[in-house]
Amino acid sequence: MIQGIKRLGPFEWEVPVGLVPGMHSPGRFYLSDSLLQTLEEGAVLQLANVATMPGIIRYSLAMPDIHWGYGFPIGGVAAFSLEDGVISPGGVGFDINCGVRLLTTPLTVDTCSDRQGLIDELYQAVPTGVGARGSIRLSRKDLRGMMEQGARWAVDQGYGFMEDLERCEDGGCMKGAMSDQVSDKAQQRGMPQSGTLGAGNHFLEVQVVGDIYDEPAARTYGLSKGQICIMIHCGSRGLGHQTCTDHLKTLEMATKKYHISIPDRQLACAPITSPEGLNYYGAMAASANYAWANRQVIMHVTRTVLSRRYGIDEKEMHLLYDVAHNVAKKEEHVIDGAASWVCVHRKGATRAFGPGRMEIPMIFRETGQPVIIPGSMGSPSFVLKGTRDAMEKTFGSTCHGSGRVMSRAKAKKSFSGKVIRENLMKQGIVVRAPHDGAIVEEAPGVYKSSDEVVRVVDQVGLSLKVARLEPLGVIKG
Amino acid sequence: MSFIELDHTADILIRAHAPTLESCFAECGLALMEVMYRGAGSTPAAIKRTVTVYADDCAGLLHDFLSELLCLSESENLVFSGINVRLTGENRLDADLSGDVFDPGTHGGGTEVKGISFSGLDIFKDEQGYDIDILFDV
């Protein structure tokens, strides 16, 4: 076991103040005994580093998919006071508003015929992989629309329906976006990539609803056993990546200007209310909006393909919900018994607001926010519901996925793309990717078990299981 | 190629080696291209570009140079196989780049790099020259 960490309960662990110099608060993370075997010392140090940042409230937190990243650990969550706290791109990541959405359909596993044909057609319709260019041509004005209006821009252009918007976190548009804080370079990177999925762990997956754990919640969410759904996982593409790079530079200067001491340059930060902090927030919000517009466009293309192939109306395919898992947001939380506005950073963590919160669409408000947790290639994904426990323990946050356990370098030495493809085919899972390397790097076995990660958040009460989704076909970026 | 991929759970950690700091920076750039575009090194030198960056220190220069290289490659759809770096003073780096337009048939085997991280960036010198560890977010 890693030196210095302390067990607080069956799944709860503490990183005491003092593990690294200058910690203002302890760290807390949630792991089962089996997941503890995968915990890396680097991730614990990164969790402790976050606790050194000014204005951190309560704890530096990490979800059960914690792993070693850069700046914050992946799975990291931290809230900062708006008065004396900071904002940091290291707590959001390069892929601003990397997120996931789930489209439900009226198809069932029996009526969704020729799945190889479906995957092939979706693969042609949604550009994927390195160097892929989007099928939509944008003007600068269009790009500004994406950054300022998010998913709403896409709906106004004919990509989807108004009802989609209320089923996105923040209505698919983060307030406070400042497109003028997104550099020309970032816009040049983002312009040709609109409507593209990207590469790495991004994917589009055809899934079937398997086990239902919570019938009333599943009914409210429009899920039933045997139903076909489509999961879309991608982010803000080069526009968001460049925005992070650009603002990291200005925030590094700000870190010195405001005499903030940080143990890792990737944690460069500035007071939330400083000009540099406000500019980063505005640029990050603009990038988050671009990501929502992008997922909306990809979902529309998916609806078009399904409608044509299976003769179903596009309006019969409802967006269940869209969640961001790399973002910093101003939210109201109860701190020491009083409601306060704080800036919550989630880096590889999902908002999981409990019943009653005004941010949740009316139709889901009594149940709690839908939480969508993608599994790795070939493994199940989950729909969960947000809880009041999460509001108290983790600023309304839960895990975002499985969490890697094996490097890409090791994966390439350990697996063969052809063998993985054949094994998945035997399980009834069709895979399309630009090349075998993309399959090997995301092979089953390089991630923690999604079942175990989700079991922990369910047991701790950070979100509760509603349904399990089994993969049938996947397009890897 | 004087670079290797080290183990890193989430991202891609590269160790580059070269006799001089400038050539080691260039190796990091070639490693970035190879990660993004498999077989980048054999790309013909049909198109040329130059890059200039300013930073407060050596790590900042490397970080900003690689960030520029990434941005240029992605926004202009270019794959670079020739990189010549000159450190002109403590705060300035100039680089001459040569390569060609991305071709999915020959360059399609790589992975997307989102950004260059300061976490894990390490520059060290020994009697054989310079070694640099650099982390690419993928």
Side-chain angles (χ1 to χ4, degrees):
Chain A
M1 195 169 82
I2 291 165
Q3 290 291 309
I5 61 172
K6 201 167 95 187
R7 183 167 217 150
L8 300 177
F11 302 104
E12 198 165 355
W13 299 82
E14 182 169 275
V15 180
V17 170
L19 190 89
V20 301
M23 287 172 71
H24 302 297
S25 69
R28 282 274 166 98
F29 59 93
Y30 300 90
L31 284 180
S32 61
D33 285 325
S34 69
L35 289 175
L36 187 71
Q37 309 307 314
T38 66
L39 182 64
E40 309 134 302
E41 196 169 4
V44 175
L45 286 175
Q46 288 178 334
L47 188 69
N49 286 344
V50 174
T52 68
M53 297 169 77
I56 187 164
I57 297 170
R58 251 191 258 150
Y59 306 111
S60 167
L61 294 155
M63 305 298 112
D65 45 351
I66 178 173
H67 62 276
W68 185 26
Y70 52 88
F72 277 43
I74 314 292
V77 175
F80 293 87
S81 155
L82 292 191
E83 286 77 40
D84 55 9
V86 291
I87 186 166
S88 172
V92 173
F94 284 99
D95 200 2
I96 296 164
N97 190 5
C98 184
V100 59
R101 63 170 51 193
L102 189 70
L103 177 69
T104 64
T105 78
L107 296 168
T108 66
V109 70
D110 298 322
T111 58
C112 184
S113 54
D114 184 17
R115 288 199 289 273
Q116 178 74 59
L118 171 61
I119 288 295
D120 288 345
E121 197 172 339
L122 287 169
Y123 186 75
Q124 293 304 320
V126 180
T128 60
V130 176
R133 288 332 206 201
S135 52
I136 57 170
R137 293 284 163 264
L138 293 179
S139 65
R140 284 278 175 160
K141 190 177 161 214
D142 291 327
L143 195 61
R144 199 165 61 244
M146 288 179 87
M147 292 189 283
E148 291 174 358
Q149 297 163 43
R152 173 66 185 257
W153 173 86
V155 170
D156 285 348
Q157 305 300 309
Y159 300 109
F161 312 113
M162 290 302 284
E163 74 149 37
D164 298 336
L165 302 181
E166 67 168 16
R167 288 163 175 243
C168 296
E169 187 173 332
D170 285 351
C173 179
M174 202 166 155
K175 290 195 184 101
M178 295 159 74
S179 59
D180 60 343
Q181 291 301 321
V182 175
S183 69
D184 271 353
K185 276 186 199 163
Q187 295 189 35
Q188 278 165 23
R189 273 178 83 174
M191 192 99 81
Q193 295 181 340
S194 304
T196 63
L197 196 63
N201 62 357
H202 293 159
F203 66 77
L204 186 153
E205 192 164 274
V206 178
Q207 304 173 336
V208 58
V209 178
D211 294 339
I212 301 269
Y213 307 103
D214 180 339
E215 276 291 349
R219 245 190 329 273
T220 304
Y221 290 169
L223 296 173
S224 56
K225 196 170 171 69
Q227 180 185 16
I228 298 291
C229 296
I230 313 287
M231 188 172 279
I232 296 164
H233 176 209
C234 64
S236 50
R237 316 293 295 110
L239 183 136
H241 310 164
Q242 188 64 33
T243 295
C244 177
T245 297
D246 294 338
H247 284 264
L248 199 60
K249 197 163 172 77
T250 57
L251 289 174
E252 206 188 0
M253 288 188 274
T255 308
K256 291 175 191 151
K257 177 179 162 187
Y258 297 107
H259 310 293
I260 300 168
S261 171
I262 47 167
D264 177 353
R265 284 174 87 164
Q266 201 67 28
L267 291 175
C269 56
I272 296 165
T273 49
S274 66
E276 297 88 346
L278 292 170
N279 288 344
Y280 170 64
Y281 189 86
M284 180 202 57
S287 305
N289 291 344
Y290 173 94
W292 271 310
N294 202 40
R295 289 200 286 275
Q296 183 70 29
V297 169
I298 291 173
M299 183 178 75
H300 172 78
V301 170
T302 304
R303 271 182 177 144
T304 307
V305 168
L306 287 166
S307 176
R308 193 171 53 236
R309 283 186 72 85
Y310 300 106
I312 48 177
D313 194 305
E314 288 181 15
K315 287 205 162 176
E316 291 180 86
M317 292 176 266
H318 301 285
L319 171 61
L320 168 57
Y321 206 61
D322 178 306
V323 290
H325 51 226
N326 276 7
V327 79
K329 292 166 70 177
K330 291 173 189 167
E331 295 172 354
E332 193 175 33
H333 289 276
V334 177
I335 314 287
D336 299 329
S340 306
W341 283 86
V342 297
C343 183
V344 182
H345 292 60
R346 296 190 182 93
K347 187 184 184 189
T350 311
R351 196 188 75 174
F353 278 4
R357 285 288 298 218
M358 297 300 285
E359 294 90 341
I360 305 173
M362 194 62 89
I363 43 167
F364 303 143
R365 200 168 291 165
E366 272 185 37
T367 304
Q369 179 208 305
V371 174
I372 299 156
I373 305 300
S376 55
M377 185 173 64
S379 67
S381 298
F382 291 85
V383 174
L384 298 94
K385 62 180 186 182
T387 64
R388 293 195 174 95
D389 274 356
M391 305 312 296
E392 288 169 18
K393 290 183 171 138
T394 55
F395 302 99
S397 310
T398 189
C399 61
H400 87 305
S402 316
R404 287 188 78 96
V405 285
M406 188 189 287
S407 70
R408 288 167 168 84
K410 200 175 273 178
K412 277 183 253 176
K413 286 178 200 149
S414 309
F415 302 113
S416 139
K418 184 169 173 282
V419 171
I420 294 167
R421 198 193 296 271
E422 285 167 1
N423 285 344
L424 289 171
M425 188 62 97
K426 280 181 200 155
Q427 297 168 47
I429 305 167
V430 181
V431 183
R432 282 295 306 261
H435 54 91
D436 273 357
I439 296 174
V440 169
E441 289 179 14
E442 299 295 312
V446 308
Y447 284 90
K448 296 178 193 178
S449 149
S450 55
D451 281 291
E452 183 62 4
V453 170
V454 166
R455 184 179 79 87
V456 173
V457 295
D458 183 82
Q459 290 284 307
V460 177
L462 302 182
S463 45
L464 299 173
K465 290 196 287 188
V466 174
R468 179 183 161 108
L469 302 155
E470 304 291 348
L472 295 176
V474 59
I475 293 169
K476 294 298 300 177
Chain B
M1 291 192 297
S2 292
F3 54 83
I4 54 167
E5 195 176 329
L6 303 177
D7 252 4
H8 187 279
T9 319
D11 297 308
I12 291 186
L13 183 60
I14 293 290
R15 174 163 297 169
H17 174 81
T20 67
L21 189 58
E22 289 168 326
S23 55
C24 207
F25 275 28
E27 286 298 329
C28 292
L30 293 171
L32 174 64
M33 290 293 105
E34 188 59 27
V35 167
M36 294 172 72
Y37 315 106
R38 293 288 171 222
S42 55
T43 307
I47 295 172
K48 296 189 189 310
R49 292 284 185 273
T50 57
V51 162
T52 299
V53 295
Y54 299 88
D56 287 343
D57 55 26
C58 195
L61 280 173
L62 175 64
H63 174 272
D64 291 2
F65 159 59
L66 294 174
S67 297
E68 281 295 313
L69 180 63
L70 169 60
C71 180
L72 188 62
S73 169
E74 209 174 90
S75 50
E76 294 196 25
N77 221 18
L78 296 176
V79 179
F80 296 107
S81 53
I83 300 177
N84 182 33
V85 171
R86 294 182 309 282
L87 293 167
T88 45
E90 272 189 16
N91 301 324
R92 176 176 169 155
L93 177 151
D94 295 286
D96 297 319
L97 314 171
S98 58
D100 205 351
V101 175
F102 170 79
D103 172 4
T106 52
H107 302 127
T111 193
E112 194 169 66
V113 173
K114 294 170 185 168
I116 314 299
S117 172
F118 273 116
S119 291
L121 197 168
D122 210 353
I123 301 173
F124 38 99
K125 186 176 185 303
D126 60 24
E127 59 275 17
Q128 269 93 46
Y130 286 85
D131 285 300
I132 295 177
D133 288 354
I134 182 88
L135 187 68
F136 304 147
D137 177 30
V138 296

